[in-house]
Amino acid sequence: MVEIVHALKGRINFVHFRNVLFMGERKFKESAHLSTEGSLDMYAIMKALVEVGFDGVIRPDHGRTIWGKWRCQAMVCMIARLESVIFKGFMKPS
C-alpha cells in the first residue's frame, strides 16, 4: 500500500482507511485499525500519505464496531493516530 500511495502522489482525493487480515487468496476479514491487528502497516500507510502531501478526506472504517468491549468513536481514534504521526515529527502542526 505504501508503494501505491507514492505511485499515486497528487492523485488521491479520498482515503477509506481500514485494516484487514488476509486469510488466503481472495479471503480477508476486517480488523482493528492498529497495525498489529491486521495485515497492513497502518502507520506506514499514514506516514506515506503525509510524505506525498495528501490533504484530502480520510474516513476511518468501522472502528467502533470491531474492537469488542473497548469501543471508540472511529473519528476520535483516527485523530489520535494522526496526532501520533504529527508528534513523531512527520508533520508540523500549523
Side-chain angles (χ1 to χ4, degrees):
M1 293 304 294
V2 170
E3 294 83 10
I4 292 171
V5 169
H6 284 283
L8 295 175
K9 178 181 180 177
R11 297 175 50 201
I12 303 171
N13 300 306
F14 176 83
V15 173
H16 184 122
F17 203 67
R18 77 172 186 184
N19 201 355
V20 294
L21 180 63
F22 295 115
M23 301 165 51
E25 189 173 335
R26 296 184 178 185
K27 189 173 180 183
F28 70 92
K29 69 177 184 175
E30 293 183 27
S31 63
H33 290 106
L34 299 175
S35 297
T36 56
E37 299 293 324
S39 300
L40 301 176
D41 186 341
M42 303 300 277
Y43 179 80
I45 295 167
M46 183 65 74
K47 181 180 174 198
L49 288 166
V50 170
E51 290 170 349
V52 301
F54 173 75
D55 64 355
V57 175
I58 297 176
R59 182 198 181 278
D61 191 50
H62 306 297
R64 66 181 189 277
T65 61
I66 59 175
W67 271 312
K69 293 180 182 176
W70 184 75
R71 297 193 185 273
C72 175
Q73 294 297 332
M75 189 53 70
V76 172
C77 291
M78 188 53 60
I79 289 169
R81 283 163 184 50
L82 186 54
E83 286 176 350
S84 173
V85 171
I86 291 169
F87 292 126
K88 289 185 182 219
F90 298 112
M91 283 178 59
K92 300 290 183 215
S94 54

